[in-house]
C-alpha cells in the first residue's frame, strides 16, 4: 500500500513560488512582509502535517472495543477494520482467539456481503475451568467478502462477535488480526502493545477485563467493616482505661480528704491544750 505525504521540500517550494508571485505584483515596500507571512504559513502547515499525520495513521489501525469487559461475563466485541490501501480493497479479516484464557462461547453478528466462520480446535495445553479441564475452544474467526464486495479505499467496516465468559479481572485479552487485500497483500496486526512505550506500527487489538461491581462493593464493605471493628475495639479499650483512671482518681481524692480531716483534728486538739 502507498501513502503519499507532502515532503518538506515540496511544501517549501510551493511556498517560495507563492512568495515570488506575490512580490512581483506588490509595491516594493510590501514585498518583504508578504514573503515573511508566506514563510510563516508554510511552516505552520508543515508543523500541522507532522502532528496530524501520525495521529491519523494511529487511528487507522484495526481496533477492538468491548461493551462490557466484566470478569465472568459475555461481551460484545466490535472490531473496527479500516482500509489503508489507496489501490486495493480488503477482502478478508481473520481474528485469532486466546488459548491461555480461552473464550468458550463465540458467536458472530451477520454482515451483509460477508460470510463468517468460527473455527474450533484443540488447545496447546488443557486449561482448568470450573473444576475441570478444557481441551478445545474457539480458536479463530474469519470474515470473507462475497465476490464483488470489499472494504474500499477510504472506507472501514465493523465486525461484531459475542464472546465469553471473560477471564479474571486485569487480564489483557489480545486478539491478533490478519487483513487481506484484493491485490494479495496481507497485513498482520499482531505486535504487542507495552504500557508506557510508543505504539508499534501494527499493534494487536486488545482489551482489559475489569472486576464486577458487586465484587468491588463487597471488598469496600469488608474494608469498612474491618475499620469499624478496629475503631470499636480501640474505643472500648480507651473507655475502659478512662473508667479505671477515674476510679483511681476518685479513690485518691477520698484518701487525701480523710488525711486532711485527721490533720485538722490533731491541730485543733493541740491548740486547746496550749490554751489551758
Amino acid at each position: 500500500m502507498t501513502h503519499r505525504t507532502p515532503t518538506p521540500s515540496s511544501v517549501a517550494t510551493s511556498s517560495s513560488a507563492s512568495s515570488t508571485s506575490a512580490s512581483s505584483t506588490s509595491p516594493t515596500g510590501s514585498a518583504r512582509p508578504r514573503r515573511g507571512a508566506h514563510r510563516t504559513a508554510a511552516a505552520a502547515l508543515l508543523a500541522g502535517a507532522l502532528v496530524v499525520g501520525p495521529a491519523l495513521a494511529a487511528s487507522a489501525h484495526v481496533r477492538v472495543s468491548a461493551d462490557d469487559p466484566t470478569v465472568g461475563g459475555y461481551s460484545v466485541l466490535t472490531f473496527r477494520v479500516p482500509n489503508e490501501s489507496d489501490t486495493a480493497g480488503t477482502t478478508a479479516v481473520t481474528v485469532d482467539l486466546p488459548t491461555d484464557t480461552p473464550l468458550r462461547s463465540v458467536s458472530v453478528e451477520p454482515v451483509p456481503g460477508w460470510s463468517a466462520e468460527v473455527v474450533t480446535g484443540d488447545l496447546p495445553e488443557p486449561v482448568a475451568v470450573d473444576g475441570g479441564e478444557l481441551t478445545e475452544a474457539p480458536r479463530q474467526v474469519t470474515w470473507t467478502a462475497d465476490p464483488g464486495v470489499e472494504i474500499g479505499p477510504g472506507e472501514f467496516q465493523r465486525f461484531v462477535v459475542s464472546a465469553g465468559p471473560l477471564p479474571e479481572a486485569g487480564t489483557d485479552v489480545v486478539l491478533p488480526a490478519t487483513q487481506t487485500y484484493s491485490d494479495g497483500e496481507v497485513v498482520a496486526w499482531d505486535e504487542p502493545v507495552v504500557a508506557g512505550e510508543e505504539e508499534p506500527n501494527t499493534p494487536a487489538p486488545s482489551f482489559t477485563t475489569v472486576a464486577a461491581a458487586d465484587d468491588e462493593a463487597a471488598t469496600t464493605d469488608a474494608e469498612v467493616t474491618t475499620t469499624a471493628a478496629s475503631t470499636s475495639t480501640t474505643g472500648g479499650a480507651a473507655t475502659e482505661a478512662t473508667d479505671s483512671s477515674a476510679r483511681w482518681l476518685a479513690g485518691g481524692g477520698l484518701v487525701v480528704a480523710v488525711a486532711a480531716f485527721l490533720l485538722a483534728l490533731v491541730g485543733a486538739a493541740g491548740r486547746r491544750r496550749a490554751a489551758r
Side-chain angles (χ1 to χ4, degrees):
M1 79 187 76
T2 58
H3 299 275
R4 297 182 180 178
T5 303
T7 61
S9 60
S10 65
V11 174
T13 303
S14 175
S15 173
S16 176
S18 299
S19 300
T20 304
S21 176
S23 63
S24 64
T25 57
S26 303
T28 304
S30 61
R32 289 183 180 178
R34 286 202 168 201
R35 186 178 297 114
H38 281 298
R39 290 198 186 101
T40 302
L45 288 174
L46 178 58
L50 292 175
V51 172
V52 175
L56 291 176
S59 65
H61 296 338
V62 174
R63 305 285 186 182
V64 63
S65 61
D67 72 330
D68 182 10
T70 303
V71 55
Y74 289 77
S75 182
V76 174
L77 308 180
T78 302
F79 295 88
R80 182 184 182 276
V81 182
N83 186 35
E84 294 189 324
S85 174
D86 297 328
T87 59
T90 299
T91 57
V93 176
T94 297
V95 173
D96 293 329
L97 304 175
T99 57
D100 53 345
T101 55
L103 302 170
R104 287 174 281 172
S105 174
V106 176
S107 57
V108 298
E109 181 177 80
V111 179
W114 294 75
S115 60
E117 180 184 13
V118 179
V119 178
T120 298
D122 294 335
L123 298 174
E125 295 181 0
V127 177
V129 175
D130 298 335
E133 285 190 345
L134 190 66
T135 59
E136 68 173 23
R139 296 285 304 272
Q140 198 175 72
V141 183
T142 298
W143 290 271
T144 305
D146 295 341
V149 177
E150 64 180 20
I151 306 173
E155 299 178 344
F156 74 94
Q157 178 65 55
R158 294 186 181 93
F159 299 97
V160 181
V161 303
S162 174
L166 299 182
E168 63 183 13
T171 301
D172 291 327
V173 181
V174 182
L175 303 162
T178 302
Q179 183 175 11
T180 302
Y181 286 91
S182 56
D183 60 0
E185 181 182 5
V186 177
V187 178
W189 300 91
D190 58 358
E191 293 184 88
V193 178
V194 180
E197 296 185 6
E198 185 178 355
E199 186 176 73
N201 292 328
T202 55
S206 66
F207 68 94
T208 304
T209 57
V210 299
D214 292 343
D215 292 343
E216 294 178 352
T219 301
T220 303
D221 290 343
E223 292 175 352
V224 171
T225 302
T226 302
T227 303
S230 176
T231 303
S232 175
T233 302
T234 305
T239 301
E240 291 179 1
T242 303
D243 291 344
S244 299
S245 299
R247 285 194 292 270
W248 277 104
L249 289 174
L254 180 59
V255 171
V256 172
V258 171
F261 178 70
L262 292 176
L263 289 173
L265 290 177
V266 172
R271 285 193 295 273
R272 284 198 295 269
R273 285 195 295 270
R276 291 177 183 174

